[in-house]
Amino acid sequence: MTQPLLPAADTATFPAIVTAQDSRDLAAVLSDQKPPIEALLASSGAVLFRGFDVPDAFAFDGAVTAYDGANFPYSESLSNAVRVNITPRVFTANEAPPETSIYLHHEMAQTPIYPSTLFFYCEIQPGGGGATPLCRSDWLLNRLEAKRPALVASFAAKGVRYSHTMPGEDDAASGQGRSWRSTLGAEDKPAAEARLSELGYSFEWQTDGAIRVTSARLDAIRTLPDGRRSFFNQLIAAYRGWADAAKSVSFGDGSLIDPADMTVAIELADELSYDMEWQAGDVAIVDNYAVMHGRRPFTGKRRILVSLLA
């Protein structure tokens, strides 16, 4: 049995930081002390484990498995990003080029299927840059409601709708480059159309073999188990990183979102963001419902692996 965890945790920071007093096995800690870890995650939104013995992707897989949560496999997700599986439950975070910024988002919140919990593992520490920004979306919503109460009321009442184009083939140079074949698990157009209809999407085929899809109405605000509300959506990433965001994102009824309102949300999120600077062997757990994440550009090598829980 491992030693008690919480006395070694810095709970006054965001994220909460748990530092090993010696080279301890993280899998044993996550298995033996899951309840206090879950409590820490619920209060902070993100927990960083540093100094534990996690030498490679397989040890990371073992740690996630020891936490004993339902796997949310990449192959069955609707993620836009091109990723590479290392094990059935561990895959690369994103194959986009190092100079590409990945803006704050809740994982897969632009789709009707998304994970609850994210595990990150730093296998190779970046040479420079490469931090993972984190932002508490409950804090953001409170600040946004104080400045734009009508906007928040509209998000709560109307929800949001997203449109994007899935290419015919994977494009690893794009943060949204996953093909419709991979995303939908479809070998041909009829199978893709059946899957999209099942998920509530409308769609239009493009002349180059890509497909333009539009989601059904999705919530923009989520109520957390303790009653807090979270700005749970993909809007900041869309307005900062998607081409033609003003046309690609709307309220759930099709009405337009004022870009000036989104500028306020983006500025507030930047003010509230914490840059998690990676060290080799770090493992972080993030509550996907409460905390947004992203990726800063980097130089040199950087390898962050991910595992998701349903």
Side-chain angles (χ1 to χ4, degrees):
M1 180 68 69
T2 56
Q3 300 172 9
L5 170 68
L6 293 181
D10 183 353
T11 60
T13 65
F14 170 72
I17 300 174
V18 179
T19 304
Q21 302 305 307
D22 48 43
S23 185
R24 295 168 64 188
D25 178 23
L26 182 59
V29 172
L30 295 179
S31 175
D32 294 344
Q33 304 191 42
K34 185 175 180 179
I37 293 170
E38 287 183 318
L40 188 58
L41 182 63
S43 63
S44 178
V47 183
L48 174 65
F49 294 87
R50 175 161 286 167
F52 291 83
D53 184 20
V54 191
D56 55 31
F58 301 100
F60 174 53
D61 183 299
V64 178
T65 300
Y67 194 70
D68 193 26
N71 186 29
F72 188 103
Y74 169 67
S75 60
E76 297 177 17
S77 76
L78 299 176
S79 170
N80 304 69
V82 176
R83 304 177 180 193
V84 178
N85 271 97
I86 309 301
T87 75
R89 70 183 309 152
V90 172
F91 45 89
T92 56
N94 195 299
E95 293 296 296
E99 65 272 13
T100 301
S101 293
I102 299 175
Y103 298 109
L104 289 169
H105 62 284
H106 289 278
E107 190 68 23
M108 304 179 205
Q110 80 281 15
T111 82
I113 305 172
Y114 34 76
S116 67
T117 308
L118 320 177
F119 277 75
F120 294 95
Y121 166 60
C122 179
E123 185 175 50
I124 300 176
Q125 182 175 328
T132 293
L134 300 174
C135 178
R136 284 271 299 262
S137 285
D138 55 338
W139 294 351
L140 173 58
L141 185 65
N142 290 339
R143 293 278 299 276
L144 184 60
E145 190 165 34
K147 285 184 173 287
R148 291 288 195 277
L151 174 66
V152 172
S154 292
F155 280 137
K158 299 177 182 180
V160 288
R161 194 167 65 185
Y162 305 91
S163 297
H164 72 282
T165 299
M166 299 180 189
E169 303 294 336
D170 283 349
D171 178 8
S174 169
Q176 294 181 285
R178 192 181 183 194
S179 69
W180 57 262
R181 290 178 175 85
S182 175
T183 304
L184 302 172
E187 292 296 328
D188 53 32
K189 289 184 176 181
E193 292 176 359
R195 177 64 171 151
L196 288 167
S197 297
E198 175 188 342
L199 294 166
Y201 283 86
S202 59
F203 52 86
E204 181 179 356
W205 290 101
Q206 310 296 295
T207 57
D208 62 356
I211 186 170
R212 181 76 174 172
V213 303
T214 300
S215 72
R217 177 204 181 279
L218 300 174
D219 288 339
I221 294 173
R222 184 182 184 91
T223 300
L224 303 176
D226 62 2
R228 288 175 295 138
R229 296 183 306 154
S230 170
F231 193 59
F232 182 78
N233 53 63
Q234 202 80 334
L235 291 169
I236 290 176
Y239 272 85
R240 298 193 77 171
W242 293 15
D244 299 322
K247 298 178 181 179
S248 298
V249 185
S250 68
F251 286 113
D253 61 0
S255 57
L256 297 180
I257 301 170
D258 187 343
D261 285 333
M262 284 308 306
T263 297
V264 174
I266 289 167
E267 290 173 348
L268 291 173
D270 284 345
E271 290 176 13
L272 292 168
S273 290
Y274 169 91
D275 273 6
M276 189 162 61
E277 304 283 357
W278 291 106
Q279 296 181 16
D282 283 350
V283 171
I285 310 178
V286 176
D287 181 344
N288 189 43
Y289 297 152
V291 175
M292 289 185 285
H293 70 280
R295 188 194 76 181
R296 305 293 189 197
F298 64 93
T299 58
K301 293 183 178 180
R302 175 191 190 270
R303 188 172 169 89
I304 305 297
L305 303 181
V306 179
S307 186
L308 310 179
L309 300 185

